[in-house]
Amino acid sequence: MTTDEISGMGPLVARLSRGGQRLRQADRAHPWVLDTAVVALVFLMFCLPDLLHGRVDDGDGDGPRRFRLVFTQLPVAGMLALQTGLVLPLLWRRRRPAVAFAAITAVFVLQWSLGAALRADVALFVALYSLALHGRLRQLPWACAAMAGAMALVAVRVSSAVSVWDALFFLLSTATAALALGLMVRIRRAQLAGLRERAARLEIERDQRSRLATATERTRVAREMHDIVGHNLSVIITLADAGAYATDIAPERGKEALQLIGDTGRQALGELRRVLGVLREAAGGRPGGPELSPQPGIVDIGALCAKVRAAGLEVVYRTSGDVDALDGGVQLTVYRIVQEALTNTLKHADTDTRVRLAILVEDSRLTIRVQDSGPVTPSGPPDEEGHGLVGMRERAALYGGTVSAGPTGGGGWSVEAVLDLTPHRGGAR
């Protein structure tokens, strides 16, 4: 077969596939049509010739006389009755395959007990095929036993013309072929159903992964927005209050507060543009775009502390260990946790509060401690955690870490976060 012939078969196979699919859809919508068509086809091909020309061999053939005298001549009414008993049960061969097979087998045994042979006997093999395809598998052993008994009866009846063993071999081979064909089609349909189910399951899992990724991204963006807006607004509000107080007493301090408010607002606006710019780029699918400013890291904590000091708090900041060797993901997590802790201090502590901030790196462990000396004035109920503490714990959990927060023994509030650096040392994520 040439390449052109192979390529030319493609449209033919596609048309046959589409035709088969349409036929299966029509059969699911009107199953009685196919069942009736099978009965009509068997009647036209195997019953009508017997009714028109008599029994299978009426003695006028060219075969040996001993073979032509084997079968019993039946009247037309009796022949029609037996044919009806053989063919009519095929109407429910798919809905009740065991019942159809049992009915046809009973008529088949009765017919051969009378010594008659009909072309409609092919219905028994169709019923066996249907039982193997549509019936319960535990029904097949007794069906095979009944089939073997019926075939043995036929072999005995034709023993005067054909050897019993030759007849049994031919008849049982035909029955085995019908049984094997039914099982093969059944297995093939089961495989196709399994593939369709697996494809549907994979599609559902893909949609679930997509929704989960979307929810995760939304959570990340919401956390980033909370950190940016919450912290910078707290600093702006504190600076605005301090500037308003200092306007009458020290105008230059009020002017400095206004400048700090402007700087803080511009920084917050830049970070918001960076986050929203990433969202627009992801939604639009545009690979190109303006360069985005880098994510803040530990090196930016000094500037963060300076803004908090400008708002009126005293911050003592120290580090221990090789903090510069941490990858960008860890540094961003540390920065956001520190930012949220300082924001909470700005919200709930007095202006003369002293804050001690420490970042310690020891082998595969990073510890963040933020402790203030101000009074504890939680904004919510005692058993309710704010979104800030939840966000810190979510960030720490990305690195197998934990966050604990609560009042200190001598007054004030303490936040401690511990991160596991083992999977993240040695390079960026």
Side-chain angles (χ1 to χ4, degrees), residues 23-39 88-101 104 126-136 139 185-186 189:
L23 287 177
R24 286 191 295 269
Q25 292 175 353
D27 181 49
R28 284 194 293 267
H30 306 284
W32 58 270
V33 174
L34 179 60
D35 295 334
T36 305
V38 170
V39 173
L88 195 60
L90 293 178
L91 285 174
W92 61 86
R93 66 183 183 88
R94 293 193 293 180
R95 288 169 292 177
R96 297 289 186 272
V99 176
F101 178 81
I104 293 175
V126 177
L128 180 62
Y129 162 82
S130 300
L131 180 62
L133 178 57
H134 304 290
R136 299 177 181 176
Q139 297 172 341
V185 175
R186 183 188 189 121
R189 289 184 179 179

Side-chain angles (χ1 to χ4, degrees), residues 162-412:
V162 182
S163 169
V164 173
W165 298 111
D166 291 343
L168 275 178
F169 175 78
F170 173 76
L171 293 172
L172 291 180
S173 297
T174 306
T176 301
L179 179 66
L181 181 61
L183 291 176
M184 182 186 69
V185 175
R186 183 188 189 121
I187 293 172
R188 178 59 178 170
R189 289 184 179 179
Q191 290 175 342
L192 292 177
L195 291 175
R196 286 192 293 267
E197 181 182 357
R198 182 172 181 269
R201 187 171 62 252
L202 290 176
E203 184 176 357
I204 293 174
E205 292 177 356
R206 182 197 64 189
D207 295 339
Q208 289 176 343
R209 285 194 300 268
S210 177
R211 288 194 295 268
L212 182 60
T214 301
T216 302
E217 183 63 16
R218 288 177 178 174
T219 302
R220 185 191 69 81
V221 172
R223 189 166 55 234
E224 289 286 331
M225 298 288 286
H226 173 271
D227 292 340
I228 295 170
V229 176
H231 171 75
N232 289 287
L233 282 181
S234 297
V235 173
I236 289 173
I237 291 171
T238 304
L239 289 173
D241 292 340
Y245 176 77
T247 300
D248 298 331
I249 301 175
E252 66 280 358
R253 297 286 294 176
K255 180 180 179 180
E256 181 181 353
L258 291 176
Q259 291 176 345
L260 290 174
I261 289 174
D263 294 339
T264 303
R266 280 188 290 272
Q267 180 182 354
L269 184 59
E271 293 186 7
L272 288 175
R273 284 176 175 171
R274 172 178 52 79
V275 174
L276 297 178
V278 172
L279 290 178
R280 285 194 297 268
E281 180 180 351
R286 297 189 302 270
E291 292 293 330
L292 303 177
S293 59
Q295 295 276 28
I298 293 180
V299 70
D300 300 301
I301 293 180
L304 179 65
C305 294
K307 290 197 300 182
V308 175
R309 293 190 189 99
L313 300 184
E314 181 182 354
V315 181
V316 178
Y317 168 49
R318 68 183 183 89
T319 61
S320 176
D322 190 6
V323 295
D324 294 332
L326 300 174
D327 64 71
V330 175
Q331 293 200 30
L332 176 62
T333 299
V334 173
Y335 180 89
R336 292 305 187 195
I337 291 176
V338 171
Q339 184 184 52
E340 183 59 37
L342 294 177
T343 301
N344 290 337
T345 301
L346 278 173
K347 290 179 180 179
H348 306 305
D350 296 334
T351 55
D352 57 350
T353 299
R354 180 183 178 90
V355 182
R356 292 184 176 86
L357 168 62
I359 301 175
L360 311 175
V361 178
E362 299 173 349
D363 296 332
S364 61
R365 177 188 177 96
L366 186 147
T367 304
I368 306 169
R369 292 193 185 96
V370 182
Q371 182 177 352
D372 63 67
S373 60
V376 180
T377 57
S379 59
D383 296 333
E384 182 181 352
E385 291 185 350
H387 295 291
L389 185 57
V390 173
M392 284 191 285
R393 285 177 174 163
E394 290 177 352
R395 289 186 179 277
L398 296 176
Y399 294 89
T402 58
V403 175
S404 59
T408 60

Side-chain angles (χ1 to χ4, degrees), residues 4-34:
D4 294 338
E5 292 175 341
I6 295 176
S7 61
M9 291 178 63
L12 177 60
V13 173
R15 286 194 295 270
L16 291 176
S17 178
R18 288 193 297 269
Q21 185 176 2
R22 285 193 293 267
L23 287 177
R24 286 191 295 269
Q25 292 175 353
D27 181 49
R28 284 194 293 267
H30 306 284
W32 58 270
V33 174
L34 179 60

